[in-house]
Amino acid sequence: MKSPLAITEIRFFEASAEDIATGLLGWVDCVVNGAIRLSGITLRRTRDGRLTLSYPLRPDRLGREHFAFRPISDQARIDLERQVIAALGHLVEAR
């Protein structure tokens, strides 16, 4: 089945050595379906070695945090992660 998400123009910004040691590898910007740029996605390595993405949070005026954006379903999250990690995997596998 063809994905409804086309992730392109993927850019990676590496974290510091100190952050990498804690699992934060860097930040990702990408374009979805040629129409929307997503910036500030975090690329992390979990304790069990998997690569995963997390999405930026923004505080409201009461200090409560809300996602600036995020996938609307588990399938969308899996698809976005698969495409981004496939594109960046060679850059981060050695870390």
Side-chain angles (χ1 to χ4, degrees), residues 5-6 8-11 23 32 36 38-39 47-48 51 53 60 63 66 83 85 87 89-91 94-95:
L5 297 177
T8 58
E9 298 181 41
I10 299 169
R11 298 185 313 167
V32 178
I36 300 171
L38 303 180
S39 298
R47 289 182 193 256
D48 64 359
L51 295 176
L53 302 178
D60 65 17
H66 304 274
Q83 290 185 54
I85 291 169
H90 66 283
L91 294 174
R95 291 172 177 74

Side-chain angles (χ1 to χ4, degrees), residues 13-27 95:
F13 305 92
E14 188 173 42
S16 68
E18 296 83 23
D19 286 334
I20 291 171
T22 67
L24 171 61
L25 301 178
W27 296 269
R95 291 172 177 74

Side-chain angles (χ1 to χ4, degrees), residues 17-90:
E18 296 83 23
D19 286 334
I20 291 171
T22 67
L24 171 61
L25 301 178
W27 296 269
V28 176
D29 287 1
C30 62
V31 173
V32 178
N33 293 348
I36 300 171
R37 177 171 301 281
L38 303 180
S39 298
I41 300 169
T42 330
L43 178 65
R44 299 178 183 278
R45 184 176 304 280
T46 64
R47 289 182 193 256
D48 64 359
R50 291 180 302 108
L51 295 176
T52 188
L53 302 178
S54 57
Y55 301 91
L57 296 168
R58 301 284 189 256
D60 65 17
R61 65 183 176 178
L62 299 176
R64 295 176 298 209
E65 290 188 324
H66 304 274
F67 286 104
F69 57 86
R70 64 186 172 98
I72 62 170
S73 69
D74 197 44
Q75 185 56 50
R77 178 191 59 78
I78 290 167
D79 195 21
L80 193 125
E81 269 189 0
R82 182 186 55 77
Q83 290 185 54
V84 169
I85 291 169
L88 298 177
H90 66 283

